[in-house]
Amino acid sequence: MELVYDYNATRPSQAAERGRLLPLMFASVGSGCWIEPPLHANWGGRNVHLGNDVYANFNLTLVDDGPIYIGDKVMFGPNVVVTTAGHPVAPELRLHAAQFNLPVTIGNNVWIGSSVQIMPGVTIGDNTVIGAGSVVTRNLPENAIAVGTPCRVVRTIGEHDRTYYWRDRAFDLTVEELLEAFT
């Protein structure tokens, strides 16, 4: 928790210090990871495994009582909560502070919109997009667009997404031309 505090106290110009602190806080950290402060983590990130090129916007909360596995090139919008901990519904058990912990796994190239809540035991497949404000209570397959409370798959990613970047707004170039421009 002290390291998370130090991380959150860094100034925007202290990128090197942030980079030094991340591997001290997390169980494992790939290359090219960036987390905008503030960051919140129950166990200071000690149960969190980050792949390569993970980006998290402001206010990522990781309830890391159990393991959280985050793949490569995952993007988190602001105010996302990933939780591995829960409590039984039976009131007599909650009186005794009963808790369970289930791992969360997020695949590669996943985009998680702002204010998404990911519940214990969930696995999210590669390339999936989760819409802002969604509450993910069940596993999501790869190549899906999922939204809502509770979060449900509304469609798979397909040819439409290679033509349009937002609703009916088409790319000026083909996806192949855009990819060529990035290389």
Side-chain angles (χ1 to χ4, degrees):
M1 297 300 296
E2 295 290 324
L3 292 172
V4 172
Y5 182 90
D6 291 345
Y7 188 87
N8 289 336
T10 59
R11 301 182 60 79
S13 61
Q14 294 179 290
E17 178 64 3
R18 289 179 185 175
R20 184 188 75 77
L21 289 169
L22 281 179
L24 299 176
M25 294 166 18
F26 291 104
S28 61
V29 179
S31 65
C33 293
W34 185 262
I35 298 176
E36 296 286 353
L39 164 70
H40 310 282
N42 279 28
W43 290 95
R46 84 163 59 166
N47 295 314
V48 179
H49 304 265
L50 299 177
N52 296 315
D53 302 312
V54 173
Y55 173 79
N57 212 320
F58 305 101
N59 264 335
L60 176 63
T61 297
L62 302 167
V63 182
D64 64 334
D65 294 54
I68 299 172
Y69 302 98
I70 300 168
D72 298 338
K73 299 190 180 295
V74 173
M75 297 187 302
F76 292 92
N79 303 308
V80 171
V81 176
V82 180
T83 183
T84 63
H87 304 279
V89 174
E92 55 274 36
L93 293 174
R94 287 196 322 274
L95 281 173
H96 297 285
Q99 176 175 318
F100 63 87
N101 302 305
L102 298 170
V104 170
T105 302
I106 299 169
N108 297 317
N109 198 34
V110 172
W111 175 21
I112 301 168
S114 62
S115 299
V116 167
Q117 307 269 322
I118 300 172
M119 298 294 104
V122 166
T123 296
I124 298 167
D126 293 347
N127 304 314
T128 290
V129 175
I130 303 171
S134 297
V135 178
V136 185
T137 60
R138 304 232 187 275
N139 294 346
L140 296 173
E142 63 184 28
N143 299 308
I145 297 174
V147 299
T149 305
C151 192
R152 290 187 167 81
V153 174
V154 292
R155 67 182 178 85
T156 58
I157 296 171
E159 207 49 48
H160 176 272
D161 304 295
R162 288 168 179 75
T163 303
Y164 300 97
Y165 64 91
W166 178 252
R167 297 185 179 157
D168 63 346
R169 296 178 186 205
F171 290 108
D172 292 334
L173 304 171
T174 67
V175 168
E176 292 74 23
E177 292 169 327
L178 289 168
L179 290 173
E180 189 177 306
F182 285 119
T183 58

